[in-house]
Amino acid sequence: MTDAYIYDAIRTPRGKGRKDGSLHEVTSARLSAGVLNALKERNNLEGHAVEDVIWGNVTQVKEQGGCLARTAVLASDLDERIPGLAINRFCASGMEAVNLAANQVKGGAGEAYIAGGVEMMGRVPMGSDGAAIAVDPSIAMETYFVPQGISADIIATEYGFSRDDADLLAAASQKRAKAAWDDNRFAKSIVPVRDQNGIEILAHDEYMRPETDMQSLGGLKAAFKDMGEVMPGFDKVALMKYPHLERINHIHTAGNSSGIVDGAAGVLIASKEWGDRMGLKPRARIKATAKIGTDPTIMLTGPVPVTEHIMKQSGMNVSDIDLFEVNEAFSSVVLRFMQAFDVDHSKVNVNGGSIAMGHPLGATGAIIIGTLLDEMERADKETGLATLCIASGMGAATIIERV
């Protein structure tokens, strides 16, 4: 099989996902087109240079509906002969786009792809697509459906994580993100967003709260306690599934959960032969990809079994990995990953994560792959693993190695 390589990985800054966020005036298609244009310009992609654009986005309704990938191509400066494929694997959509593109290259179905994703959470609210698993009672009852925040609290209860544990991880995420920006660690990948007049409207992740400390975090209300204990009482559903738990310990707050933001990211993936013809140098090889289904109620434990799966299929051990990016959907997700594999926090999300900078659902998987690659180059590390938990109980992972 042909090896698949990463030639470039970029992202927009993440804007607050609300009406006063800096990116609120930008549509999903236009933000995506800006990323595609940047990849085109940075890599001199003239004509029908890539086989396809594979683009993840989660809430596929309204302006994010239809085939957003194709709309983004047509809104960009890419050749109109390049098609587009919109995909949805919830929070791993951006990663799945990258993995699918890599496996297409490996299998000989085209030499080059652009993959990534977008989510404008301030314009197209999460959940506005009315997912059947949440709104169809016959399915929700069979799967013991609870919202993700409840699932995160179930993980904390099942595996013994306290509110202080969660807040310590959140405070570290904020501190690390600030240090990364202060040290210009994202400079290679950030593409500032400009309006239709070419005026820069955002060049920095604006969700960050670098002043965050344990005291300020400790003053926040548990975000999912009422929906768990009062109305609609999801704790009772969870306890029917997990009767060994006496109660659900609600530790997650707005401060130790991922932020709602707008953002997009793109990755250029191709074979070595294509890169040679284009005069481009690969940055990393995509060594392995994996996905897996997990318990749909606790839902967010996927990074553990998918990492076990990808290690087995690649013949590697966790000890072979130099750096990890584990999406900070909620603190307990990362805490469980580190607990399961006895991985020190010094190797995980070293430049902060979604708690500090936000989680634009369809883009995050591509973002963390790019962040991982940038840090591997900066720190002179060889091998990295990126992974995410996924709604409805799934996990996805990608291993990359520098070349």
Side-chain angles (χ1 to χ4, degrees):
M1 294 179 69
T2 302
D3 283 333
Y5 295 88
I6 295 175
Y7 285 86
D8 202 2
I10 62 174
R11 71 173 178 92
T12 69
R14 285 167 270 195
K16 295 176 182 178
R18 56 195 193 202
K19 290 183 179 180
D20 62 349
S22 294
L23 298 182
H24 187 70
E25 67 185 75
V26 187
T27 67
S28 305
R30 290 296 177 188
L31 194 69
S32 301
V35 172
L36 297 180
N37 287 341
L39 286 169
K40 179 181 186 294
E41 293 165 10
R42 286 163 58 119
N43 299 283
N44 298 312
L45 302 179
E46 299 299 331
H48 198 173
V50 300
E51 186 76 18
D52 203 355
V53 171
I54 305 177
W55 216 240
N57 67 290
V58 174
T59 310
Q60 297 188 349
V61 295
K62 299 181 179 178
E63 66 187 48
Q64 290 188 169
C67 181
L68 180 58
R70 176 57 176 166
T71 305
V73 170
L74 296 176
S76 76
D77 297 330
L78 290 179
D79 193 298
E80 68 179 13
R81 290 173 294 174
I82 298 171
L85 171 65
I87 67 167
N88 180 5
R89 199 188 289 279
F90 294 126
C91 297
S93 296
M95 175 176 286
E96 189 62 30
V98 171
N99 291 353
L100 178 56
N103 290 325
Q104 293 282 86
V105 171
K106 289 180 180 181
E111 292 185 287
Y113 285 76
I114 292 175
V118 67
E119 207 77 32
M120 299 301 291
M121 301 180 74
R123 295 178 63 93
V124 186
M126 178 172 56
S128 57
D129 53 346
I133 194 169
V135 302
D136 184 332
S138 65
I139 298 175
M141 291 175 65
E142 289 178 358
T143 58
Y144 294 89
F145 170 81
V146 298
Q148 287 189 27
I150 302 293
S151 298
D153 287 337
I154 296 172
I155 294 173
T157 306
E158 177 70 33
Y159 295 101
F161 305 127
S162 68
R163 171 69 179 269
D164 280 351
D165 293 332
D167 285 351
L168 280 168
L169 188 139
S173 182
Q174 295 284 355
K175 182 178 179 181
R176 290 177 176 190
K178 181 182 186 302
W181 270 104
D182 289 348
D183 198 33
N184 292 318
R185 296 183 188 179
F186 301 131
K188 182 185 294 186
S189 301
I190 290 289
V191 176
V193 181
R194 301 180 184 277
D195 66 13
Q196 59 187 2
N197 298 314
I199 299 172
E200 185 178 284
I201 59 176
L202 188 64
H204 190 283
D205 291 320
E206 72 172 344
Y207 183 79
M208 292 166 52
R209 291 157 290 180
E211 72 284 354
T212 298
D213 57 21
M214 288 294 288
Q215 184 175 359
S216 61
L217 287 169
L220 298 176
K221 177 183 178 181
F224 309 104
K225 183 178 175 68
D226 287 348
M227 72 167 64
E229 297 179 354
V230 187
M231 289 295 292
F234 282 109
D235 283 7
K236 292 181 180 179
V237 176
L239 293 173
M240 290 173 62
K241 181 74 174 285
Y242 313 113
H244 63 285
L245 301 177
E246 294 184 6
R247 59 185 294 275
I248 306 301
N249 184 21
H250 294 286
I251 69 164
H252 286 94
T253 69
N256 57 35
S257 306
S258 58
I260 294 174
V261 296
D262 303 326
V267 182
L268 177 60
I269 300 158
S271 67
K272 183 67 165 56
E273 292 74 17
W274 179 92
D276 289 343
R277 289 200 312 272
M278 297 290 291
L280 298 174
K281 182 179 178 180
R283 297 173 60 189
R285 182 172 74 96
I286 298 179
K287 182 176 177 66
T289 68
K291 60 270 189 183
I292 202 165
T294 65
D295 180 339
T297 307
I298 200 169
M299 194 186 307
L300 307 175
T301 55
V304 173
V306 81
T307 296
E308 293 170 341
H309 182 47
I310 202 170
M311 290 297 152
K312 182 178 180 180
Q313 72 179 38
S314 62
M316 300 178 69
N317 297 309
V318 171
S319 59
D320 296 325
I321 305 296
D322 298 313
L323 291 171
F324 300 85
E325 283 288 325
V326 183
N327 185 41
E328 294 175 351
F330 299 90
S331 285
S332 63
V333 174
V334 182
L335 291 169
R336 172 56 188 150
F337 181 89
M338 295 190 296
Q339 179 192 67
F341 297 110
D342 193 25
V343 175
D344 192 88
H345 195 198
S346 63
K347 293 184 176 182
V348 180
N349 304 342
V350 300
N351 292 313
S354 292
I355 289 174
M357 293 174 283
H359 176 20
L361 306 178
T364 302
I367 288 174
I368 65 172
I369 289 172
T371 299
L372 178 62
L373 177 54
D374 283 347
E375 181 60 21
M376 287 166 60
E377 291 174 341
R378 188 194 71 84
D380 194 23
K381 301 297 184 180
E382 297 301 318
T383 307
L385 179 144
T387 184
L388 302 93
C389 62
I390 309 174
S392 301
M394 294 183 282
T398 308
I399 296 176
I400 61 176
E401 61 181 14
R402 287 174 61 206
V403 294

